[in-house]
Amino acid sequence: MTLKLDKVNRGPHLSTLVASSISREIAQGRLKPGDQLPTEQALATTFGVSRNVVREAIARLRSEGRIWSQQGRGAFVADAANATVLTIDYEALQRADSFRNLFELRGMLEVQIAALAATRRSDADIEAMEQALDGMRTAPYGSVAWLKNDLGFHRAVAEATQNPYMGQFLVFVSERVRESILAAGNQQKSDDMARTTLGEHERILAAIKAGDAKGASAAMTRHLAGAASRVGLPGGEASAKPASPARHSRLRKAVRGQAAG
Amino acid sequence: MTLKLDKVNRGPHLSTLVASSISREIAQGRLKPGDQLPTEQALATTFGVSRNVVREAIARLRSEGRIWSQQGRGAFVADAANATVLTIDYEALQRADSFRNLFELRGMLEVQIAALAATRRSDADIEAMEQALDGMRTAPYGSVAWLKNDLGFHRAVAEATQNPYMGQFLVFVSERVRESILAAGNQQKSDDMARTTLGEHERILAAIKAGDAKGASAAMTRHLAGAASRVGLPGGEASAKPASPARHSRLRKAVRGQAAG
DNA sequence: AAATCAGGGTTGTATGATAACACGACAAGA
DNA sequence: TCTTGTCGTGTTATCATACAACCCTGATTT
């Protein structure tokens, strides 16, 4: 019984609504960097909520680097470049083009990471990869345990680069991709797929073990092409067409205005 | 006499301390996913603050996806995978190794992005790049305007991939790198450097314009090697000058404003 | 046995009050 | 005139309390 409950309860919290509202004002340019926000009291009355709610919203925006505040002065809009967090809008991932774009980004990271891992891996890294592969062999394809070990393998590869940011970024992107796949929920499973996928991973591991950077990235490329087709994306990688026509070129703001909603 | 007064220890907000404390408990495994947090009242008394402060901290953690809460039940630690934001600790960037790692990640992104841009760029993208280059030509090396156009060039390249996430990620990483460089603040400037840097950019643009993916990534690789040596990283042909310890002079103040929260 | 209801516990929100701080105005002293 | 100290106002930061909404459990009723 696959009860498919919708994941994000779009926060019933008032503070979430207030934060989104202010965020939108910033994203759409009605509040420019350096501008002073209305006082908490004013915001509270205009939104019709208590000052406490406004404070929670501001605390949130502050933690995201969107605004900064100082006791006795007020709250101000921070420079857009100062955003200390990178967020990916969950809603956007439901759109096919966004998903494809994110998948492409993941692929770019993975391929490079595989090559780097091949030149820097330690024995412990190799062992971690083999352990993850073992976990995949004993778990049914597509099960939670399988997915966990799948991600674990890729994380182990990323950690083999000895660069913590690689793993951090890759896991972040991969998780968004995975969520999106689960949300779509239309992948069919078969033992054949399990064997194929496992084989792709094994080839990656073999190349990394051998210290073959070129081979590792090639194997990873093949793996990603396979993964793409398994989730219903047009498989090719190098000659992939632009995910979205040249519309984006003039819309830099669209990229920056992250969670406008 | 430059008297160096350390900024008064204007401690971060209490809610920040509480949030960090809880965050640390989660990161270090003392609070595992699924665990229920103490009640707000309990947290308030143990931390010696009001419940309001605890609520602001929780609002922040909730927005980061680290915990979730439900009215009438309590607050619970979320799965690590559910983190909706990617953050880079500013303090960590002051360490030379972290900086080097982030620079490496940026390089990986840039090189791939350049190749992709060469195959997908539109006329508008090319124009944006040329405009940024013009801006660099007329601004003094290292000035704010120069840096702005420098970043603008790289962003234009990223947007030429027609994949918005490329720009989003690259800009995020680049901004962290830039902040870190400014914090170190001991790069010497010269007209020679300006010419060199400009030349590197021009070669990148030429390759992208020609649709030469290989040439574009090669040019970008050379540019990054040059940039690395210019900021004192052992990356290209330059002597390995040890990364200078961060002297928090001016930036600290600026960052303090943003991070206070 | 099942449905209903009461009670306590927890989070969500509102309200008022106080402390800490920034900033300008203004007067006192040189 | 210039400096300095003081004060008043406005804002954020924090505290304290109260109530509403909600979940869970267990007893009560049907």
Side-chain angles (χ1 to χ4, degrees), chain A residues 190-205:
Chain A
S190 74
D191 289 349
D192 204 41
M193 278 189 180
R195 269 197 305 279
T196 306
T197 309
L198 214 45
E200 290 169 1
H201 280 95
E202 281 160 356
R203 274 192 289 280
I204 295 170
L205 174 55

Side-chain angles (χ1 to χ4, degrees), chain A residues 52 55-56 62 104 120, chain B residues 52 55-56 104 120 260:
Chain A
N52 230 323
R55 280 195 61 77
E56 281 182 25
R62 194 171 39 213
E104 181 177 73
R120 296 189 186 167
Chain B
N52 231 321
R55 279 195 61 78
E56 280 183 25
E104 182 177 70
R120 298 188 184 167

Side-chain angles (χ1 to χ4, degrees), chain B residues 77-139:
Chain B
V77 180
D79 285 343
N82 285 359
T84 59
V85 300
L86 180 61
T87 74
I88 289 191
D89 192 15
Y90 178 77
E91 310 295 336
L93 280 184
Q94 311 297 40
R95 298 205 317 275
D97 61 334
S98 289
F99 175 62
R100 195 167 46 238
N101 282 330
L102 197 66
F103 200 89
E104 182 177 70
L105 175 60
R106 180 201 157 191
M108 167 183 294
L109 286 170
E110 293 263 30
V111 170
Q112 295 284 96
I113 283 175
L116 213 54
T119 71
R120 298 188 184 167
R121 78 279 181 273
S122 72
D123 290 348
D125 296 322
I126 302 263
E127 192 184 350
M129 294 180 216
E130 279 173 343
Q131 209 167 328
L133 273 189
D134 271 346
M136 287 171 73
R137 285 196 192 92
T138 60

Side-chain angles (χ1 to χ4, degrees), chain A residues 26-75:
Chain A
I26 296 176
Q28 300 186 352
R30 281 192 290 276
L31 279 174
K32 290 185 292 293
D35 283 359
Q36 180 166 10
L37 273 75
T39 69
E40 294 179 349
Q41 190 60 49
L43 287 172
T45 57
T46 61
F47 282 114
V49 298
S50 83
R51 196 179 144 224
N52 230 323
V53 170
V54 171
R55 280 195 61 77
E56 281 182 25
I58 287 186
R60 175 172 166 171
L61 294 175
R62 194 171 39 213
S63 87
E64 293 174 1
R66 288 191 156 88
I67 69 175
W68 58 275
S69 63
Q70 193 175 358
Q71 181 171 121
R73 287 186 64 191

